[in-house]
Amino acid sequence: MSRLRGYADIVLAGNISVQDLNALSGEVQMRMVRRTKEGVSMRVDLNDAKRLRHLLRGRGLRMRIIRRGGLPFVRVALRRSPAFFVCLLASLLLLWGVSQTVLEVEVAGISNKPMQAQLLAMMQEMGAKRGALQSAVDKRAIEQAVLSRFPDLTFAALHQRGTKLELFVKQGTPAPQVLDKNEPVDIVATQPGLVSSVTVLTGVAQVQPGDTVRQGQLLVSGFDPALGTMHANGEVWARLWQTGVGQASLHEEKRTRTGQTLAQTTVSLFGWEIPLFKNENTFENYDFERQAGTLLGQLFLPIRWEKKIYYEVHCETLERPIAQVKRQAAQRALGDALNLVPSGASIIDKTLKYSKIRGDTLQATIVLETNAQIGVQVRSR
Amino acid sequence: MDKEKLARQLGVPRSTLTGETRLHMEGDSRLIIEAHQGLLEYSPACIRVRATGMVLHIQGQGLFMEALTAEDLVVLGQIDSLLLNKPKGERA
């Protein structure tokens, strides 16, 4: 605390006794009290040094100040050095200036890489690019332009995070085709199958139960030679077959951590990676963990850090119970087949077969027989 | 109520209520004395301090006082011995 308020190193010259020290200790705080040839040296606060002169009257002691120090004297020294303040001010201005510019532009919310590139190019055309002043970027105009140029997108928002501009977009769900009920339409097959039932409300049936149809084939026509064109309506159900394949390993690898770890830390700025405390990974088998983040929330500069942690593991190959392997392969095959089953379909039958492939893998093949409505209305050509 | 008993019941150190001198020693080079009652002697080889009901006799080499106030004293230096004497009738 004395360094903030300022201190004085003094010497009390004369025949100073412990009674004098006791009396003075009640008035001032004394530090680094030592016996010297002259008397006693000590360090006191600046304010206490001023009071000591009065306290020493009548005791036959003289006070001599050897040196003064602390923050008050640092300020005085700095006042004599204007260059320091000029450089400090210049540094602060530079830092503030950098924080007002755009150093990074990013698109989030979609995984489509070509569309991301198109959005970034568009933002660059409109002034949202590295080096631009943040105040000069018209965020609302960019958001509106994105929505009008990309009709697939239903939401766009441009955020400023420190020196980074982030465009967040959201793709919409396409609306279903709406057909006018007076418009001439046909009913065609959405996928191949074996017709099991045909129910026609309007139109002329082109297939009957037992027929094999292919995808796109006309099922119910919207044209009657006697009546002309009409809006075909009805349902055509067919039996479909979906095949799913699933695999499971007959062996499993048991990984046990030995307790040995190794960390590699890197800092990146504008694509430059600077390794810090880099240790070479010499583990034969390891688990890997990655941690990453930004410094100061990218307030001034887009500095990112990344830490890779390697955990040494001991690997052991064990044989799995065959029942467990079969169950896993069958579940995966069923999941694969169910992805192909159309919505609204009912499963009539399933067939499951196993085979061994590559010596250490069991493959399950499942065939699902389903009954589904395969007709869909399309505009008559 | 006895202060010592009260301190025990309140769960606070006894010396906070009784005002007794407290000693805290760090290794053999730093001694903190709280609630002392005055210096009796000071030299680089010997420091005597009045405490509650006794006199502390600190002997060593290069002894100096890092801090000295009306109540607290911090002694630094090579401390060779620390004696607690209970003399009668000695005053600072």
Side-chain angles (χ1 to χ4, degrees), chain A residues 22 25 30-33 35, chain B residues 39 42 64-66 68 70:
Chain A
N22 284 329
S25 68
M30 293 180 276
R31 281 176 293 277
M32 315 304 286
V33 179
R35 284 270 186 208
Chain B
L39 272 179
Y42 168 55
F64 69 98
M65 293 179 278
E66 189 188 31
L68 173 62

Side-chain angles (χ1 to χ4, degrees), chain A residues 32-83:
Chain A
M32 315 304 286
V33 179
R34 295 174 198 266
R35 284 270 186 208
T36 63
K37 288 176 189 170
E38 282 181 74
V40 171
S41 70
M42 62 184 68
R43 176 174 288 185
V44 295
D45 284 348
L46 271 181
N47 292 332
D48 288 341
K50 292 171 191 168
R51 288 172 46 222
L52 258 181
R53 287 193 192 279
H54 305 287
L55 293 169
L56 292 176
R57 279 186 195 149
R59 291 185 182 269
L61 298 169
R62 298 180 312 281
M63 185 179 89
R64 185 165 63 87
I65 297 176
I66 298 171
R67 66 182 284 268
R68 293 186 181 92
L71 188 59
F73 300 96
V74 172
R75 284 203 312 258
V76 168
L78 285 178
R79 256 186 254 142
R80 294 185 203 134
S81 172

Side-chain angles (χ1 to χ4, degrees), chain A residues 290-311:
Chain A
R290 183 180 167 272
Q291 298 169 356
T294 57
L295 284 180
L296 299 176
Q298 296 193 192
L299 187 60
F300 298 115
L301 293 169
I303 303 174
R304 290 198 180 91
W305 62 268
E306 184 184 72
K307 187 174 180 182
K308 295 177 189 170
I309 306 173
Y310 298 91
Y311 302 92

Side-chain angles (χ1 to χ4, degrees), chain A residues 111-234:
Chain A
S111 52
N112 187 332
K113 297 285 184 198
M115 189 181 266
Q116 276 187 6
Q118 286 176 357
L119 285 166
L120 282 170
M122 198 192 99
M123 285 169 68
Q124 209 164 10
E125 276 171 28
M126 297 189 70
K129 56 186 175 183
R130 186 183 288 180
L133 274 178
Q134 290 185 15
S135 56
V137 174
D138 190 345
K139 296 188 186 68
R140 298 289 90 83
I142 292 175
E143 289 166 2
Q144 293 298 323
V146 163
L147 289 174
S148 64
R149 206 184 286 191
F150 297 89
D152 287 347
L153 302 177
T154 55
F155 177 79
L158 189 58
H159 296 300
Q160 175 194 329
R161 296 182 197 278
T163 54
K164 182 165 105 172
L165 278 181
E166 190 182 49
L167 176 68
F168 182 79
V169 294
K170 187 83 178 152
Q171 268 183 305
T173 309
Q177 186 186 21
V178 175
L179 299 167
D180 191 288
K181 63 179 180 182
N182 297 318
E183 196 177 348
V185 298
D186 298 325
I187 294 178
V188 300
T190 55
Q191 50 188 294
L194 180 66
V195 176
S196 59
S197 72
V198 179
T199 307
V200 176
L201 299 175
T202 321
V204 179
Q206 303 295 304
V207 295
Q208 57 187 358
D211 287 350
T212 304
V213 297
R214 60 183 185 281
Q215 186 175 356
Q217 185 173 336
L218 184 63
L219 302 175
V220 179
S221 172
F223 174 74
D224 188 330
L227 302 171
T229 57
M230 61 189 79
H231 187 91
N233 198 359

Side-chain angles (χ1 to χ4, degrees), chain B residues 24-32 61-64 66 74-80:
Chain B
H24 180 79
M25 188 136 183
E26 295 174 6
D28 63 349
S29 56
R30 193 163 193 251
L31 176 64
I32 302 167
Q61 300 159 45
L63 299 178
F64 69 98
E66 189 188 31
V74 180
V75 177
L76 284 186
Q78 177 62 43
I79 300 172
D80 293 332

